[in-house]
Each structure stands twice: as C-alpha cells, then as structure tokens.
Amino acid sequence: MTSQSGTTTGTSSIATPTAAGSNANNASNRGGTANAGNAGNATTSNQHGNGNRGNHVVRKLKTRHISMIALGGCIGTGLFMTSGGTIAQAGPGGGLVAYAAMGIMVYFLMTSLGELATNMPVSGSFAVYSSKYIDPALGFAMGWDYWLNWAISGATDISTAALLMQYWFPKSPGWVWSLTMLVIIFCLNAFVVSAFGETEFWLALIKVVTIIVFIVIGLLMICGIMFQPAIGFKNFTYKGGPFIGGLPAIMGVFLIAGYSFQGTEVVGVTAGESENPSQAVPKAINNVFWRIVLFYLLSIFVIAAIIPYTDPNLLGASDTNIAMSPFTIVFEKAGLAGAASIMNAVVLTSILSAVNTGAYASSRMLYGMAKDGYAPKFLGKTTKRGVPLAALITTLCIEALAFSSSIFGPKFYMWLVTATGLTGFISWMGIALSHLRFRRAFKLQGHKLSELKYHAKLFPLGPVLALVICAVVICGQDIPAFASGNWGELLMTYFSVILVAILYFGFKFTRHTHIVKLADMDVSSARPEVLREQNRA
C-alpha cells in the first residue's frame, strides 16, 4: 500500500517489503512476487517459525485444529437452545428455508475469506484485508468494532456460564464461577497457541458428538424404531404447516439464523498461526457447507418432525432454561435419563468454547492492529512463545469490566450487549467487499487464478450474495421501532453501525486516507504498514 506521502513503505510484521508503491512495483509483482502461495510461504518462514526471535506470533496450529475451530464457529449455543424458536415463529418449512439460505451465504463468504487468507495468512485477518484492499480507515474501524464485540460478548458468556453452574450448585455465588472461567480462559491462551487449538479441538468434538447422537436418535424416533408409533412427518403439515406466517415470518427467522452462524469468520484469524495455511484453511472452509447441512438442517428437521411448532416449550428455551431446549425435549421423549443435566453440560462446554475463541480472536485482532499502527505499540508485543500477552490481558480486563457493569443495573448491561449485535454482519460485509476488490485488482494487474493456491467458487456471485443478504439483515433490524419512531431503541440496535461510521470517518479525516486504487493495490502476501509517518506525528 502506498503511504499518503507517496513513498513506498515497508511492512510492519512481515519481512518482505510491499510492492504497491507505484505501477512499476506492481509490474514487478506481475512477474511472480504476488503469487499467493509462494509469497505467503516465503515471507512467513522467519516470522512464524517454531522459534520466535521477534514480536511475532508463531505457527503452531495444526490442520485438525483449524478444521475443528471452523466447525466450532458454526455450532454455538443458538443451535442447542433457541433453534426451536425459529420453528415456532415460521413453521418447520420456514425454519429450514431460512437456515438453508443463510448457510449457503455463509459458505460462499467463507470461500471468499479462504482465498484472502491463503494469499495473505496474518493475524488480524479481515481488518488487515479491509485496510489493504479498500481503505485503511475501514480496516481501523472494523478492527476496533470487532474487538469490542468479542470483549462484550465474552462478558455475556461468562455470566451465562455462572447461571449454568448454578443449575448444579444453586446456592453458590455466580461471580465465583464467572471469575473461574476468566482464569481458565487466561491459562488456555497465555502460554502457547497450541493449547488454545487443542482445547478447541476437544470442545468442538463434544458438540459434534452430541449433535450426531441427537440426529441418529431423532431419525430412529421418526421411523418408529425407538418410539412407537412412528412419529413420521405429520408435524410438518400440522395446523397449516409447513410455512407459518408467510414471508415476513421467514424474514424474521432469517435474522435469527444469521446470528447463529456468527463466529465462522474466526478461521480467517487462525491462518496467521497455522502451520500450513494454504492446506489447512481451504480444507476447513470446504467442509463448512457439509457441516452446515448435517448439523443445522438435519437438527432442525428432527426438531420440526418430533415437536409440533405450536409447542410452547419451543419459545421458552434460553441459556438459563435448559429444560426447554429442543435437544432436551427430544432426548426426554426418547427416554434418555438426565437429559437436562447432560444438555446443561454440553451447553456449558459450548460457552467455554465461545469465550475461548473470543479471547483468541480479539487478542489477535488487537495485536494485528498494533502491528499496523491502529493501536498502542505495546499491544503488538509477544512472549517468547509467540503469544500477544498484552493484547490478551487487555481484552480479558475489558471483559471483566463489561461483566461488572451489571452493577449499574440490567438495563445498562443489556444495552452493551445489544449495542454490538450487528458487528458480525458488518465484518462479513467487509470480507465480501475486500474479496471483490482484491480479485478485480488481481485480474487488472495481469495475474491468473492459477497463481492462487485457493480461489473462491462462483465468483462474483458469492461475495455479491453476501453483501446483499447482510445488508437486508442489517436494514431489517427492529422494524417495530422504525414504525413507532422509537429513536432510543434504534440507537441501541444500530450502535455498531454508528460506531463503525464514526471510527471510519474520524480516522479518514484525521489521517487523510483514500480508497486504494485497483491499479496501485498490493496483491502480494506482504502486510500493509498503515500511515507510519502520520502515526509518528
């Protein structure tokens, strides 16, 4: 990326200099330095080796870790707890259609991220891509908004974990369990990245086994092998099914389905610490589609077949009411003893996974921003084992502060939670737009797709579809507040959008950034150094 003074800058975290200072430099890139795989592997050999001679992360995540992290990002507490609510609102058919459409969009989005991540595998991921392929100001805005979202959602999760522990220990103080989880998360992330990867592997495996058992038992019940008489498919046509409420109901469920897939983008962040990103990331992303089909669609199919959409229990499920989980209900119908206690344990491990992933993703995002001049320099330092400890501690401290904000009352705490609700969709739009511009510049500068070790399917349909759907989801938020003119409610709902706009334009006007021209864009694997001269001023 060219600095605002017009001189060619070096890189902040990769030894190879950028090649986008001029068209002449771009021409040299066309000779081969922009090759995604070769450049990526060459420039990161010293930075990310098993040793750590400088302030850099290290490549210790194995392919199986990346695959399970991608899988864990697809499966959250939403599937276990609130998926039944989508069936209650839109009927069995409406729930399946909404999740299928959102799943297809997420798959295309992940292929876009896969192309970018294998070309330039760095910590900071899509915030770096936004800086390099769109505008440095957008990278700044997206990075800080994404980090804040994970910090606040982490506070929500540790409070929920305390409530789940009180299911077994009703007289214990909740803050003890929340503090215990924070200490556990710190220990899992503070010493070596492989500890995080190994933990996520086993936590994701618990979720996978639970879902597979659920699907198998559910199908046996539907066929009459474990339940007499056979349940069959009568609930799909029960009382006007399978579609209830028409298109508005499906759109409402569509929004909920979008939240369920939040976190899948974390696989892009892990590319910066993968032992072999050109192999691990594509493998993980290519399997996302089949995982979505298997885990989401089959699970919702089983729930819809066994539990009528009119069952009030479908709307009563929440993280604090484990007995109303559709998984619990199905297991109890199958005669599984202690179903509620089992699901309580599964959801607890799912929350631990979410907090663990959030601590990893947000600390790497903060580390990446510090490397590129978006955050204080001390946050870009790592331990000898390549862990950005300062960024991790800062993130966990903010989580603790957000959690302690509940002392100001539940309204203030819920405002924090709701205010960051759209961050995931904003990040997805940034990924899609970065991919569109990267591919256009790649082609304009004379490169061929064969130079990329991985390229997204059905381009440009995938990123365009992601942009449209995310825009619909964002614009479709809180329609009743629009209708009633409740501006306070709208401010809370769209706080993430407003925050990104303030950060973007504030950075843009103070640092005088510009949208990167396609002809001048650096499509090599080198990391951009953002406005070094201005940051020093």
Side-chain angles (χ1 to χ4, degrees), residues 393-413:
I393 293 174
T394 301
T395 299
L396 294 181
C397 285
I398 296 300
E399 285 190 18
L401 285 174
F403 171 72
S404 64
S405 69
S406 58
I407 64 176
F408 296 106
K411 287 187 178 180
F412 179 78
Y413 179 67

Side-chain angles (χ1 to χ4, degrees), residues 109 112-113 116 126 142 265 427-435:
L109 187 74
S112 292
L113 182 58
L116 296 173
F126 42 87
M142 286 188 59
E265 71 283 344
S427 300
W428 288 354
M429 292 185 75
I431 293 170
L433 187 57
S434 295
H435 184 219

Side-chain angles (χ1 to χ4, degrees), residues 86 90 93-103 250-251 253-255 257-258 261 297:
T86 63
L96 283 170
V97 168
Y99 273 94
M102 185 58 68
I250 295 178
M251 288 300 298
V253 174
F254 201 68
L255 304 180
F261 290 106
L297 298 189

Side-chain angles (χ1 to χ4, degrees), residues 29 40 64-65 123 166 176 191 209 213 220 267 288 349 467 484 514:
N29 277 344
R64 65 184 181 89
H65 293 153
S123 293
Q166 287 175 326
V176 172
F191 300 107
V209 171
V213 171
L220 291 176
V267 68
V288 164
T349 60
L467 282 171
S484 62
H514 301 283

